[in-house]
Amino acid sequence: CVLMLLLTFASFESAANEAKVNYEPFHWAYSSCFGTGWYQVEGASSVFVVRAPIRQTLRKSSLDKSGKDKLGIEIRYPVTVGLHDIEDIGGIIENDNFATASFTPGVELEIPINERWYLRTLAHVGWGSDLRNDDSAWIYYAGIKSRYVFPARKYQWTLLNALYYAGYTPDEGRSDHLAVAQIGAEFRQPLNKATIKGEPLDLHWTLMYSFLGNELHFNLPDGTFDPIGDQIEVGLQMSLRNRPFKLWFLNIHRVGVGYQFSSDGQFTAITLSMNSWFRK
């Protein structure tokens, strides 16, 4: 099993200058598919979410010499916990802040089209609850990713694409859904002179654009909603060339940082990642 921890710091500009109120920056059910993060809207409460995407690899994908593909199969058991109303680091461990929990198991298939082009499909469905008010919801998300590696002798370029669909159906209230289309590129830069215990290092530079088919709305303190229609991410990761990093029983394939922002400047985020975009 691989544990991937992603920390996200998000802030939004608001013209409202009112007294602080308790509200949700976004619906807690979406945290199951968007990952771990610290989400905050200026002048109001913050939400810290930890998502542990535990995985079980039943079979790795491969291609034999004749070009025949072998399907890769993974079973995932993501567990997500949310903490709300965080004022400072000390507030994270307060019992009153423990607010939401969800479990969304699913199946992911890795499909080798040829030696350069791989597809990855995913489908998850599960259940979550807001422990503060006993609200609960069914949560689902599905999608397909594409990774194409261009021929190169030293520096490697990769084209990345994805389509996602996510949503939730609460026991009470209105259901919601979100569609996302992504396109991006990754550049691998070998560092032959930089090594860890004799193992050479590689850098992975990523540029990704995400278009939200349904705008993601964030609640503001004055009762209005601030929609986000797209997102741009610039990332840098480091990896060992021939094997993952070892941390106790964990295999960490990459360690990296990313910067996310929306085209209108309302949304910004800093992320930490421990796997490639294609397999995270």
Side-chain angles (χ1 to χ4, degrees):
C1 298
V2 177
L3 178 63
M4 177 181 69
L5 185 62
L6 169 74
L7 296 178
T8 305
F9 301 88
S11 61
F12 299 83
E13 296 179 358
S14 173
N17 186 19
E18 300 181 3
K20 180 176 179 180
V21 295
N22 184 22
Y23 72 101
E24 300 267 357
F26 69 106
H27 197 279
W28 57 268
Y30 279 132
S31 61
S32 296
C33 48
F34 288 112
T36 302
W38 180 7
Y39 307 89
Q40 184 178 14
V41 178
E42 185 176 347
S45 61
S46 58
V47 180
F48 181 78
V49 177
V50 177
R51 180 177 183 267
I54 302 168
R55 70 183 72 191
Q56 177 186 5
T57 302
L58 301 183
R59 186 172 67 186
K60 292 184 178 181
S61 63
S62 63
L63 284 167
D64 60 24
K65 294 181 180 180
S66 64
K68 186 177 180 180
D69 64 299
K70 185 177 180 180
L71 191 71
I73 304 174
E74 279 187 357
I75 308 297
R76 294 204 180 187
Y77 311 95
V79 177
T80 307
V81 176
L83 306 171
H84 294 252
D85 301 326
I86 301 172
E87 298 297 335
D88 50 36
I89 298 300
I92 292 178
I93 61 175
E94 293 180 3
N95 293 334
D96 292 342
N97 285 337
F98 183 75
T100 63
S102 61
F103 177 58
T104 52
V107 178
E108 301 198 5
L109 305 178
E110 189 167 284
I111 308 167
I113 305 301
N114 54 48
E115 62 180 5
R116 298 193 178 278
W117 186 19
Y118 276 67
L119 300 178
R120 192 173 184 90
T121 63
L122 56 102
H124 290 253
V125 62
W127 179 86
S129 178
D130 187 335
L131 306 179
R132 298 166 299 174
N133 49 30
D134 294 329
D135 287 343
S136 60
W138 288 99
I139 306 164
Y140 51 89
Y141 54 98
I144 183 170
K145 294 181 178 181
S146 172
R147 182 190 66 186
Y148 182 82
V149 181
F150 291 98
R153 292 185 178 180
K154 182 178 180 181
Y155 300 103
Q156 184 182 86
W157 286 93
T158 303
L159 178 65
L160 306 172
N161 294 278
L163 291 172
Y164 292 101
Y165 181 81
Y168 63 89
T169 301
D171 291 343
E172 297 181 1
R174 181 178 62 89
S175 300
D176 196 17
H177 61 92
L178 179 68
V180 182
Q182 294 182 305
I183 183 171
E186 183 179 83
F187 171 68
R188 181 175 67 88
Q189 178 184 2
L191 300 179
N192 295 324
K193 294 183 180 181
T195 63
I196 295 180
K197 295 183 179 180
E199 183 71 35
L201 299 174
D202 291 339
L203 294 181
H204 306 266
W205 303 83
T206 305
L207 177 63
M208 179 69 62
Y209 176 78
S210 301
F211 172 76
L212 307 184
N214 310 85
E215 290 182 330
L216 188 61
H217 291 80
F218 293 85
N219 299 340
L220 296 179
D222 60 359
T224 61
F225 294 90
D226 191 9
I228 301 298
D230 66 0
Q231 180 179 287
I232 302 168
E233 180 174 4
V234 180
L236 174 61
Q237 296 177 315
M238 181 181 67
S239 70
L240 296 177
R241 186 167 305 167
N242 301 310
R243 61 178 177 84
F245 295 101
K246 289 287 187 178
L247 181 62
W248 295 301
F249 62 91
L250 303 177
N251 290 327
I252 301 175
H253 294 272
R254 297 184 185 182
V255 177
V257 62
Y259 176 70
Q260 300 176 356
F261 58 95
S262 59
S263 59
D264 61 7
Q266 297 298 306
F267 171 81
T268 59
I270 296 176
T271 64
L272 298 177
S273 57
M274 294 187 181
N275 214 328
S276 68
W277 173 90
F278 188 66
R279 291 193 171 94
K280 70 178 181 180

